[in-house]
Amino acid sequence: MHRTAENIYMNIPVLRQIRELDPYVPGLSVQEIRERYGLSQVVKLASNENPLGASPRVLEAIARHAAYAFRYPQGGNPRLVEALARRHGVDADTVAVGNGSDEIIDLLIRMLAEPGRHSIVCCRPCFGLYPIQARIAGVEARRVPLKEDFSFDLPGLLCSVDKDTRLVFLTTPDNPSGYCPPLLEVAAFAKFLAQYHPKAVLVVDEAYVDFADDERASSLLAAKFIPENAVFMRTFSKSYGMAGMRLGYAVMPRELASCFWRMRLPFSVNILAEEAGLAALEDDDFRRATLETVREGRRQLTDGLRRLGCTVWNSAANFLLFRLPGDASAKACFEDLLQRGVIIRTLAGYELPEHLRVSVGTARENAIFLDALSGFLAETTH
Ligand SMILES: Cc1ncc(COP(=O)(O)O)c(C=O)c1O
């Protein structure tokens, strides 16, 4: 029998906001596409993962600690918290770690916003999890359109905040555009927010900020300018190459961090993720190589896409937003590339059906993608 949402839930009183939810749609996996098209080689440039894979030191740490799989992790992940506090020059009691930044986003919303009463404010489009987790929590998500060039409408965001807003999300650099606002604009925004809406917390999601050409000039956390009303989120999924281990962290006001630890499930960061995170923080060579590969690959892809007639937005992240030339269809392109063994990302879920997003891969993967795209364009425009 075909199970529609309606007949699955007919007799079970699942909350309406869950029944009606449009869930987060992740990028397709290599395995799926290999099986679907009988391909031996597939290049995945869809989920902004690390082009160099995982650090050898991380792999070694995971193997070394595999035998401890039967143990619970130490409550509160104190070694990892200390290491992160040292890395950012902040006090350990302001650091929180979670099962990916996804868990931190979810907990922040549930910790601060009361269902049916409070709101969060974010951009439209933005990383899908902010509005999705708000919806699950029964909290209104107010969306403020980005400007035409994908920069932030900061006055518009401020106008959407009211006395019942508890969180404002900014992604720097932004997903899916790669736009990174000037540091001083974010600092001024935090100041205005604190002045006019002292109950609202600013969440700056810096998942991709270390890929910027100059991290210090792009991140308030790196510049050690931490407004009192701000939370800074980072992740091990991108530049540390650990998306599958699920590890994210945040630097937040002490009072909030203490409530975070009360609320977080006791063992949501497992032993292997914790050990892998500690090893990743030690491996400066791998991280340096990652950042070089991404910055160089970003140039290679930007040039290549422009040469093919695409419109490409400047990106400070490990992905690029682009539009095809003429009236070539983004959906047709995405499907054609799948058959050629290249997975990129359509953006219908971001309400950008004519745009595409490609993650920066290795030089070889970038070349394979550009070649496949060139093949698609040659076939559709002739
Ligand atoms: C802007 C942004 N924030 C957070 C995340 C989630 O990161 P994590 O893997 O740490 O849950 C992503 C993942 O793609 C993202 O794009």
Side-chain angles (χ1 to χ4, degrees), residues 24 47-48 99-103 105 127 130 171 173 175 205 207-208 233-238 243 246-248:
Y24 180 75
S47 301
N48 308 334
N99 189 281
S101 5
D102 287 352
E103 185 186 30
I105 294 166
F127 178 53
Y130 317 141
T171 317
N175 183 1
D205 185 343
Y208 301 100
M233 286 201 308
R234 296 272 183 127
T235 179
F236 281 85
S237 298
K238 314 294 176 183
R246 312 305 305 129
L247 186 60

Side-chain angles (χ1 to χ4, degrees), residues 11-30:
N11 301 314
I12 305 172
V14 173
L15 296 181
R16 191 163 156 205
Q17 71 262 29
I18 311 295
R19 227 181 314 142
E20 294 174 355
L21 192 70
D22 286 328
Y24 180 75
V25 183
L28 295 170
S29 74
V30 169

Side-chain angles (χ1 to χ4, degrees), residues 120-136:
I120 69 154
V121 168
C122 53
C123 296
R124 168 169 249 142
C126 68
F127 178 53
L129 224 67
Y130 317 141
I132 290 175
Q133 296 315 116
R135 192 124 199 245
I136 290 172

Side-chain angles (χ1 to χ4, degrees), residues 172-183:
T172 65
D174 201 11
N175 183 1
S177 73
Y179 166 76
C180 197
L183 213 53

Side-chain angles (χ1 to χ4, degrees), residues 256-279:
L256 205 54
S258 137
C259 294
F260 176 94
W261 287 111
R262 260 177 250 178
M263 190 173 181
R264 201 200 76 172
L265 287 173
F267 309 115
S268 68
V269 171
N270 69 68
I271 283 196
L272 298 184
E274 181 171 19
E275 294 299 340
L278 286 163

